[in-house]
Structures are given as structure tokens and as C-alpha cells.
Amino acid sequence: MLTIPTIKELRHHLQKEKEAGKTIGFVPTMGYLHDGHISLVNKAKEETDVIVMSIFVNPLQFGPTEDLDKYPRDIERDKELARSAGVTYLFTPSVQEMYPKPMRTKVVVEQITEVLCGLSRPGHFDGVSTVVTKLFNIVQPDKAFFGQKDAQQVAVIEQMVEDMLMPVTIVSCPIYREADGLAMSSRNVYLSDEERSQALVLSQSLFVAKQMIDAGERDASCMIKKVRSIIEEAPLAVIDYAEMKKYPEMADVDQLVSNEKYVIALAVKFGQTRLIDNSWFQL
Ligand code: PAF
């Protein structure tokens, strides 16, 4: 594995790989890698020849009161994990490399960014779609791999790629969970033992919602009421949102109907840590 901090050098290597007829798989991350990221690399290895992973904590997607400065970082550990997972090129640009001058351009995906995390984190998705556009332009991958834990992010990226005719295939990969159900996230490291054990209500509530759907429930508000009541059993949980949306439009839902795709999306704070989780359904 080569670790490359500059755009110029990465482009040079990837140009050679493309000339040799290799396909490029891309896994964009903000580092502090866990098994969820590794599962994206494994999927990329199944589908493409050369694996590029980026590690870049993107300031554009953090609000002024968010955790940019204390976002967990451990580049040496990440290098080891990326190397043993089979990453070919680890791209580790600095903020200066990615944003040498103040940006006067941003990529904005409308409507689907106006709910859920887009409401709670104003500007977040503009930062994501802008940096992902830059990263796609640097790497020019054949396929890019994203985790479904960020369901709204996947919808935003897919919409952006479709609208702007970006020549890349988006592959979304299932949520990776700890044995007890907690969705893997770099932010889990912030949780105290008590917060971590209470955070299990997220996956438990999604599991119960799935059981309700399997049992024939079709009323979205009834399911969300149940989901909220399970989360509220955890005294430390402060719900930011718990909603059912039609996927990928992220439109409101009243009654579930056949052949449509839905997502139950959760964002809940435990202490200072805001966790998200979700579950997708297709009737
Ligand atoms: O999902 C993430 O880790 C980030 O939002 C991404 C896609 C790497 C963009 O900074």
C-alpha cells in the first residue's frame, strides 16, 4: 500500500493503473477506521482491481458547534488497518491540499437534504456533496462504496451522480453492527460505558419496527410512536429525530404501500455524542 498525501502524485499513479486497464474502486472515509469501513474495502475488492481509500476529516461538513476539532484521529492505526484490508492507495490530503484557497463553488443537492440530518445540521450535506465531487474528480473511480448507515448521504450522493452525469457507479453496502447490535461508527469511541449500553435501544427499536412490518403494520406514525417509546426507555437518550421516510426521495410517509422503499432514520444524542442508525424496508 502506498500512502499519498498529494493530488498530483495520486493522479500520476492512478493514470498508470488506468493505462494498464485496471478498474478503480474508491472508499471515501474520514478515518478512525472500523470494521464497517473494512467491509466497504472488501466489497470494493470483489468488484474492482485497484482500491483507493481517502482519509480526510472534511471541515466543510461540520457546523461551527460540531466535533471537527475532537473528531477521532489515529492515522498510524488507520494505515495498518487499511494495509491489511488490501487498500492499494491511501490518500491522506491535508486541508490545505484539498482547499488551498477559499472555495467559491459548492455542490448543493436540493429537497432530499432539507429533512433529517439536513435540518439538524445546516450545510452538512453541501459540505459532503462538495468534497465528494472533489474526491471523485481526483480519483475518477469506476465505482465508489458508501455505507448504508448514512442512508440520507447515500441518497444525496446517488442523486448528485445522476443529476450531474458523473461517470461513477455508487455501491451502497449494509450497515455493519457490533455483536450486540450497535451500528459501527467512529463516534462510538466517545460513548461512556453507560451511554454505550443505553445506545442499544436504537437497533432494538429498529428491530421491533421490522417485526411490526412483518406482522402487517402499515401505519407509519404507529410504528414511529413505538420506535420513540423504545428509545425513550433509555434515560440518557435525547431524540433529535425518529422518522419514517420514503427512500430515496426522503418524502413523508403516511401508509406503507407495496413496491416502495422506506427508511426509518434515527438520530439520538447520548451525552455529547449524536448517533445515527436506520433500517430500510421494501414491501
Ligand atoms: O461518510 C463519510 O465518512 C463522509 O461524509 C465522506 C463521504 C467521507 C465525505 O467526507
Side-chain angles (χ1 to χ4, degrees), residues 91-129:
F91 180 48
T92 56
S94 62
V95 173
Q96 175 66 19
E97 181 73 8
M98 288 297 286
Y99 304 116
K101 292 191 252 169
M103 291 279 287
R104 304 217 197 288
T105 307
K106 70 179 170 183
V107 180
V108 180
V109 176
E110 293 181 327
Q111 280 191 1
I112 54 181
T113 56
E114 287 160 17
V115 294
L116 306 176
C117 284
L119 257 191
S120 317
R121 306 183 66 190
H124 168 70
F125 285 115
D126 299 351
V128 170
S129 43

Side-chain angles (χ1 to χ4, degrees), residues 185-242:
S185 163
S186 305
R187 289 189 168 97
N188 289 349
V189 68
Y190 298 148
L191 296 169
S192 68
D193 290 348
E194 186 53 37
E195 289 163 354
R196 196 199 172 291
S197 86
Q198 291 196 22
L200 297 182
V201 291
L202 299 189
S203 55
Q204 284 159 4
S205 71
L206 293 170
F207 183 70
V208 169
K210 171 99 180 61
Q211 283 179 325
M212 290 173 81
I213 292 174
D214 291 346
E217 180 62 74
R218 295 292 177 263
D219 186 280
S221 64
C222 176
M223 278 180 274
I224 290 303
K225 206 167 153 202
K226 182 71 185 165
V227 163
R228 293 185 79 98
S229 76
I230 294 170
I231 296 171
E232 281 161 357
E233 279 167 23
L236 296 175
V238 178
I239 298 177
D240 175 357
Y241 61 72

Side-chain angles (χ1 to χ4, degrees), residues 64-83:
T65 61
E66 293 182 354
D67 57 345
L68 172 64
D69 291 337
K70 70 178 182 75
Y71 195 83
R73 293 164 168 90
D74 189 343
I75 189 65
E76 290 312 317
R77 178 177 159 276
D78 284 352
K79 278 186 194 169
E80 225 16 77
L81 289 170
R83 186 192 322 274

